[in-house]
């Protein structure tokens, strides 16, 4: 972990339905218990997802929101287009081309390639979270695309 950031992947394998949700919730809670957490930043739902996938994401999102609420952990939800805008200046990126552009932007920033597209998204979620919490890290121009990307993010606290 770098700068107090914990990274990793939680994979439910072949679990489905409620068993999958419980497994993911329990692994998420174990990470939260093992690490001091000030803020969770995650990407909101993509309205372009197929219905079945969107329903699965919605169920998981609800389970994780309840877990954070119960533990008084604030969370910031970032719309997918705002994450892309924050990373690249263009919130209209879609599909594999958008993922490749995000990955390249992360590699340019870090000076090295990341293993997956998800890592690139997570990297920019981390930077966006830092900009949310520490306004001095934001560009000075309020019209800058990174500042505009922060506008539609939603913070939830208990």
């Amino acid at each position: 972990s770098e700068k107090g950031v914990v990274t990793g992947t939680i994979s439910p394998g072949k679990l489905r339905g409620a068993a999958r949700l419980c497994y993911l919730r329990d692994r998420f809670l174990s990470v939260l218990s093992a690490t001091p957490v000030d803020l969770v930043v995650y990407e909101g739902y993509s309205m372009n997802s197929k219905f079945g996938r969107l329903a699965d994401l919605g169920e998981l999102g609800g389970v994780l929101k309840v877990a954070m609420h119960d533990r008084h952990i604030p969370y910031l939800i970032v719309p997918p287009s705002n994450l892309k805008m924050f990373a690249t200046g263009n919130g209209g990126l879609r599909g594999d081309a958008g993922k490749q552009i995000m990955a390249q932007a992360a590699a340019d920033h870090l000076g090295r390639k990341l293993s997956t597209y998800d890592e690139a998204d997570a990297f920019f979620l981390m930077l966006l979270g830092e900009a949310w919490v520490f306004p001095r890290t934001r560009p000075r121009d309020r019209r800058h695309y990174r500042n505009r990307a922060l506008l539609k993010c939603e913070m939830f606290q208990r």
Side-chain angles (χ1 to χ4, degrees), residues 4-27:
V5 175
V6 175
T7 62
T9 302
I10 299 172
S11 176
K14 295 183 181 198
L15 293 175
R16 299 288 176 253
R20 175 181 171 273
L21 293 171
C22 289
Y23 176 83
L24 292 168
R25 177 205 58 210
D26 293 346
R27 293 295 302 139

Side-chain angles (χ1 to χ4, degrees), residues 130-147:
E130 284 180 344
W132 183 273
V133 172
F134 303 110
R136 71 186 186 315
T137 64
R138 300 176 191 170
R140 287 196 150 153
D141 180 357
R142 287 188 294 170
R143 294 169 298 170
H144 189 278
Y145 65 86
R146 286 205 164 166
N147 290 327

Side-chain angles (χ1 to χ4, degrees), residues 3-110:
K3 292 169 72 174
V5 175
V6 175
T7 62
T9 302
I10 299 172
S11 176
K14 295 183 181 198
L15 293 175
R16 299 288 176 253
R20 175 181 171 273
L21 293 171
C22 289
Y23 176 83
L24 292 168
R25 177 205 58 210
D26 293 346
R27 293 295 302 139
F28 179 67
L29 290 174
S30 71
V31 170
L32 294 180
S33 297
T35 309
V37 177
D38 297 319
L39 175 68
V40 173
V41 182
Y42 74 95
E43 188 174 6
Y45 309 125
S46 168
M47 293 305 137
N48 292 328
S49 296
K50 292 187 170 127
F51 177 74
R53 178 154 160 56
L54 185 58
D56 287 345
L57 289 173
E59 287 179 342
L60 178 59
V63 167
L64 298 181
K65 284 177 187 176
V66 168
M68 290 181 285
H69 176 81
D70 286 348
R71 282 157 188 77
H72 304 276
I73 297 170
Y75 58 96
L76 181 67
I77 299 176
V78 181
S81 61
N82 290 60
L83 178 60
K84 291 166 181 63
M85 180 186 292
F86 185 88
T88 68
N90 182 355
L93 301 174
R94 296 200 191 311
D96 287 341
K99 292 176 191 231
Q100 291 170 0
I101 291 168
M102 291 278 292
Q104 187 59 54
D108 291 345
H109 194 282
L110 289 167

Side-chain angles (χ1 to χ4, degrees), residues 103-116:
Q104 187 59 54
D108 291 345
H109 194 282
L110 289 167
R112 65 178 173 84
K113 287 193 175 207
L114 297 170
S115 300
T116 67

